[in-house]
Amino acid sequence: MTPSIRRAALVLFGVLAVAVVVWNLVPQVPAGSSHAPAPTYTSPPPAAATVAGNPVPSQPAQSALREYAIEVEELQGLPPDVVPGTRLELWVTWERAAGGAPKLQKLMANASLARVVPSLTPQGPTTAILGIPVHRMPDLLYADGYGRLSVTVVP
């Protein structure tokens, strides 16, 4: 078998392998169906409210928040007497490379304290459970991983 035939066979095998993988990953539409399958939801979609037959614009639902747990010791600026439901602004401090001054940046202005969970063990950490808008969760995960978080209480 010549080297050029061997290369052509390897390329053909690679193309077939990619085609099989793509075929298995793409959802199949039944024959005779003119549209893609309906999307599935993790929670039921909100129902539109009506007043005297007129639709009322819906307010952001509580399900638009997700809870995020962080140790109170890692969350600088949280007062010890804070109560659940307190509105918070989240800030992140980024360390600059090459000895530059740290940069302080406002991460989000609409977080809230859901609850404070006491330590389960004598030396364990106390945990703050924050209510975070779903669309801001990736920003918080990145900031918690690569920066230092702090909060201020919104009056």
Side-chain angles (χ1 to χ4, degrees), residues 26-40:
V26 175
Q28 301 299 316
V29 177
S33 175
S34 61
H35 58 77
T40 57

Side-chain angles (χ1 to χ4, degrees), residues 86-100:
T86 303
R87 287 192 47 223
L88 303 170
E89 286 183 345
L90 285 173
W91 295 78
V92 60
T93 303
W94 304 106
E95 293 296 328
R96 295 243 173 136

